[in-house]
Amino acid sequence: MSNTLRPKSEYRCFDGTVAYYSHYSASCDCEMSFAVYLPPQAQLKSVPILYYLSGLTCTEENFMTKAGAQQYAAELGIMLVAPDTSPRNTGIPGEDESWDLGSGAGFYVDATVKPWQKHYQMYTYITKELPALIIQNFPVQADKQSIFGHSMGGHGALICALKNPEQYLSVSAFAPIAAPINCPWGDKLFTAYLGEDKSKWAEYDATKLIEQTQLKSTIMIDQGTEDTFYQQKQLLPENFATASKKANQKLNLRWQTGYDHSYFMISSFIKDHMEHHSIYLNN
Ligand SMILES: N[C@@H](CCC(=O)N[C@@H](CS)C(=O)NCC(=O)O)C(=O)O
């Protein structure tokens, strides 16, 4: 099967275009979907790319409809790419049983254990296959890529950047799952996708990875104080901050008083994140 893009729908937005696509993914061995925003500048020249990874239960649509990023992407001349959060309709038993496992919960890792390993290769999909597809099909600057995300997608963005410091020029996150080996979600998802051997989990844990790799750019994180998942110790930004300090990694962790885990928090601070990435993408 080829990696031909199948356009699904297209909308004018801030003089640019929001478009939804699906395609056969070789790494996930199934049909995958993603959304893009092409800023008006892309009609005349190639533009930098900013990937956004969504959280649990999301599809490629949540960010495009709720975050309000397009107006800033249009101003700054940045293409947005928002992939779906997992393979779907794979036939894996139980894929749709739980909102925090399987469909909508790919966790941005390459699964190594059955039954998930055949399709759940999200890390390779996000860091290799999707970027190649974007470069092939859109007017982009291949050497200008950055990444950000929310919750599970904040975890995804951090690990993708820390494991590929040459590929992504900057990274930021909203309420990321910042130390997954130490939280209930990480426990559940790593056990399912990577197996019981916890030594294998560390290579997908941002707080562990920052001990080994530091980024030239400043990492930006926004965390709401009224975020129930933060209160339930699913996110653990303090662990990441402590490890970053120890490793001399520049980190801008901003506590947002009164904000929760929702897209109302994301849309309140999306401008700052877009401007943060623009410093690195448009220099
Ligand atoms: N379904 C979950 C909540 C899941 C959730 O909050 N997901 C976040 C990411 S971790 C999200 O972005 N949801 C989609 C949305 O708000 O549009 C629950 O019932 O507690």
Side-chain angles (χ1 to χ4, degrees):
M1 273 183 271
S2 81
N3 62 2
T4 313
L5 287 188
R6 277 179 274 285
K8 294 204 285 195
S9 57
E10 203 177 289
Y11 308 89
R12 198 81 175 155
C13 183
F14 290 96
D15 289 332
T17 309
V18 169
Y20 292 86
Y21 296 92
S22 73
H23 69 105
Y24 170 75
S25 159
S27 34
C28 296
D29 190 16
C30 65
E31 194 77 2
M32 292 292 288
S33 298
F34 65 90
V36 305
Y37 175 67
L38 270 173
Q41 292 83 344
Q43 291 153 25
L44 301 171
K45 59 177 181 126
S46 58
V47 293
I49 317 154
L50 179 55
Y51 291 89
Y52 178 90
L53 306 183
S54 283
L56 292 163
T57 73
C58 290
T59 67
E60 67 281 13
E61 196 175 6
N62 299 65
F63 173 74
M64 282 297 162
T65 54
K66 290 182 163 182
Q70 291 91 341
Q71 61 182 306
Y72 306 111
E75 271 170 34
L76 300 166
I78 294 172
M79 180 186 187
L80 298 166
V81 181
D84 197 359
T85 55
S86 75
R88 293 179 195 270
N89 308 311
T90 62
I92 294 174
E95 69 181 330
D96 294 325
E97 259 165 37
S98 167
W99 66 271
D100 56 2
L101 182 69
S103 301
F107 219 51
Y108 305 107
V109 303
D110 284 345
T112 52
V113 297
K114 285 181 182 167
W116 305 102
Q117 96 291 8
K118 185 170 178 337
H119 299 287
Y120 279 64
Q121 299 295 317
M122 286 300 286
Y123 176 72
T124 296
Y125 176 70
I126 297 295
T127 58
K128 296 202 169 66
E129 185 174 1
L130 185 59
L133 203 63
I134 296 297
I135 289 163
Q136 222 181 326
N137 287 281
F138 297 96
V140 291
Q141 298 171 31
D143 59 340
K144 301 270 186 191
Q145 302 186 50
S146 290
I147 191 161
F148 67 156
H150 170 226
S151 195
M152 172 181 76
H155 142 76
L158 288 171
I159 61 164
C160 288
L162 288 169
K163 288 162 80 69
N164 302 279
E166 304 301 320
Q167 184 172 342
Y168 301 102
L169 299 180
S170 52
V171 59
S172 74
F174 302 94
I177 303 172
I181 59 176
N182 287 309
C183 79
W185 275 333
D187 219 46
K188 177 171 178 174
L189 289 151
F190 283 155
T191 304
Y193 299 148
L194 304 176
E196 304 280 347
D197 178 0
K198 293 195 178 182
S199 67
K200 302 276 195 309
W201 302 5
E203 64 174 287
Y204 291 113
D205 180 284
T207 297
K208 279 282 168 207
L209 288 169
I210 201 82
E211 289 172 10
Q212 299 150 26
T213 311
Q214 291 81 49
L215 304 179
K216 286 183 221 140
S217 60
T218 299
I219 298 174
M220 180 169 164
I221 293 179
D222 276 323
Q223 177 59 60
T225 58
E226 300 309 307
D227 179 332
T228 48
F229 294 124
Y230 166 69
Q231 290 162 352
Q232 292 162 13
K233 302 207 182 313
Q234 290 280 22
L235 308 176
L236 305 172
E238 293 93 344
N239 296 31
F240 186 71
T242 303
S244 294
K245 193 161 182 211
K246 221 165 151 187
N248 281 322
Q249 170 64 49
K250 283 175 281 171
L251 171 69
N252 184 11
L253 170 57
R254 310 188 311 174
W255 293 97
Q256 303 296 0
T257 308
Y259 286 86
D260 65 16
H261 196 70
S262 70
Y263 268 86
F264 294 116
M265 189 274 258
I266 296 172
S267 59
S268 301
F269 302 106
I270 192 74
K271 179 173 190 273
D272 297 353
H273 285 249
M274 294 297 301
E275 286 173 350
H276 172 78
H277 290 290
S278 178
I279 293 169
Y280 301 95
L281 292 172
N282 281 321
N283 70 7

